[in-house]
Amino acid sequence: KLDVVTFGEAMAMFMADRPGPLHEAGRFTLGLAGAEANVAIGLARLNVRTGWVSKVGKDAFGKFIMKRLKNESVDISRVRMDDKHPTGFQLKSKVKEGDPEVQYFRKGSAASRWVPGDFDKAYFLKARHLHMTGIPLAVSGSFRSFARQALAFMKENGKTVSFDPNLRPSLWPSVHEMIRQVNQSAFQCDWVLPGIREGAVLTGSDKPGEIADFYLEKGVKLVVVKLGEEGAYYKTASEEGTVSGFKVRKVVDTVGAGDGFAAGLISGLLEGLAIREAVIRANAMGALAVQSPGDHDGYPTKTELDDYLEKNGEPRK
Ligand code: ATP
């Protein structure tokens, strides 16, 4: 039995030890990158039983990824090792402020090659909920087909589906194509979680309420727009609101905040929390994530999260 299933590509990530441009970095620390893997780790730390479906190369990076996820108690029984194609990796610069520079080496990776037989219905049926992002849609045609199949199958079987656009313009032939393909999947999901900038690209409006309406009109049930340090805005057919973000002493690395946010929201909603409570939890996950260097290093255990919420009380007004 699983609570949540997700699928995506994970990569080995080399993080520069010192600030500066990427081509001048001499020393790196190895970490794990991948939006869906981050969400899986975030959920597992909150005691949500989560399976991550993927393909990795039969190489050191592939083994590293499997080991890390296993140590986090993520179910990796449906991860295939491919002996013909490599695991992708990425380089990430260190910055004193703002977003780091990231360079990908992922073309032709094991996770970009899928065949129809790879979709394991029985495994997906074990879960109550599917979490997906827009990245597999961008990685390759075969991964996009897999994603579409998984989404349709989970909806047919009455499961809930959450969707984080996670836009990667560099992986698409054009912005127009990206918007079309990402929205096509988003419209079929129950909960859509865009960042405010992504929402603007996808809907043509930079107003959270209008971004939400764009998806609600298509049948999406809940839209949560991430507002960075400002927190998040949520809207359904019957309620809406804004939840302020938590005060953070020092922002170390913003990558992974959105994934932590998704893990917090999904765990809260599956637990039966009211939407506002789930968004507070999601904000807390995001705030904890930005205070640590790796993508998911800052994600708390359930006890740590409860502790944080108790100590930090109502988020700032
Ligand atoms: P990502 O870079 O991971 O893709 P995103 O664009 O999807 O992020 P953000 O809005 O940047 O999402 O951040 C997600 C959530 O993390 C926010 O909604 C908020 O709850 C929390 N968060 C982000 N930055 C801060 C901050 N500086 N202070 C407090 N909370 C923050």
Side-chain angles (χ1 to χ4, degrees):
K1 266 249 158 272
L2 289 173
D3 299 306
V4 177
V5 64
T6 186
F7 56 87
E9 175 168 21
M11 279 168 281
M13 171 174 67
F14 293 92
M15 294 174 280
D17 286 350
R18 276 193 246 145
L22 206 42
H23 67 278
E24 284 175 13
R27 288 173 186 276
F28 296 87
T29 300
L30 180 61
L32 169 70
E36 305 84 2
N38 288 338
V39 175
I41 290 170
L43 286 167
R45 289 198 190 160
L46 298 180
N47 305 325
V48 178
R49 293 165 301 183
T50 305
W52 177 74
V53 176
S54 191
K55 288 190 163 185
V56 296
K58 201 168 186 177
D59 48 34
F61 293 155
K63 286 176 199 160
F64 164 74
I65 289 167
M66 302 272 271
K67 191 164 173 194
R68 280 289 286 268
L69 287 163
K70 193 164 176 231
N71 285 344
E72 294 283 351
S73 303
V74 172
D75 185 88
I76 51 164
S77 59
R78 287 306 178 280
V79 180
R80 297 275 171 259
M81 279 195 135
D82 178 338
D83 52 11
K84 294 192 183 63
H85 304 97
T87 309
F89 68 96
Q90 66 182 66
L91 307 176
K92 182 164 141 183
S93 73
K94 188 176 176 125
V95 286
K96 292 210 177 88
E97 206 169 73
D99 292 330
E101 191 185 337
V102 182
Q103 239 170 61
Y104 297 99
F105 299 81
R106 67 193 299 174
K107 215 168 179 211
S109 67
S112 71
R113 298 172 181 264
W114 296 76
V115 293
D118 287 331
F119 184 68
D120 183 344
K121 288 182 178 170
Y123 186 74
F124 276 76
L125 277 180
K126 284 184 181 191
R128 294 164 58 191
H129 181 84
L130 167 68
H131 176 69
M132 66 177 279
T133 81
I135 302 171
L137 302 175
V139 165
S140 65
S142 66
F143 206 1
R144 179 153 68 235
S145 302
F146 179 96
R148 293 259 150 84
Q149 188 179 3
L151 168 55
F153 179 77
M154 292 301 265
K155 288 309 299 170
E156 277 161 26
N157 285 280
K159 314 282 187 174
T160 49
V161 184
S162 49
F163 185 87
D164 183 338
N166 258 298
L167 297 182
R168 296 287 185 274
S170 64
L171 297 180
W172 288 99
S174 72
V175 171
H176 176 260
E177 185 66 0
M178 171 178 84
I179 294 171
R180 195 176 70 80
Q181 298 277 8
V182 169
N183 276 337
Q184 186 186 323
S185 285
F187 291 160
Q188 298 168 55
C189 296
D190 299 285
W191 313 333
V192 175
L193 327 171
I196 180 77
R197 286 183 304 272
E198 288 178 333
V201 172
L202 291 169
T203 70
S205 168
D206 60 3
K207 297 192 178 60
E210 291 180 6
I211 292 170
D213 289 339
F214 179 86
Y215 291 107
L216 293 174
E217 279 161 18
K218 297 284 189 217
V220 170
K221 294 186 192 73
L222 165 67
V223 180
V224 185
V225 182
K226 290 166 278 182
L227 306 172
E229 65 179 321
E230 303 295 322
Y233 165 88
Y234 63 92
K235 188 169 187 185
T236 68
S238 57
E239 42 179 324
E240 75 177 308
T242 301
V243 183
S244 313
F246 288 88
K247 258 211 176 71
V248 161
R249 251 169 270 124
K250 187 173 186 298
V251 175
V252 178
D253 180 345
T254 56
V255 180
D259 303 329
F261 185 96
L265 188 83
I266 294 164
S267 80
L269 293 176
L270 291 182
E271 224 172 84
L273 294 185
I275 292 170
R276 194 176 181 86
E277 294 303 311
V279 175
I280 292 174
R281 178 184 289 189
N283 275 340
M285 292 286 288
L288 285 162
V290 299
Q291 296 180 74
S292 296
D295 289 7
H296 49 256
D297 296 344
Y299 297 170
T301 61
K302 186 70 174 44
T303 317
E304 288 165 350
L305 178 67
D306 290 343
D307 225 47
Y308 181 84
L309 285 167
E310 191 164 313
K311 285 205 182 83
N312 292 274
E314 278 287 294
R316 68 173 171 212
K317 286 285 169 285

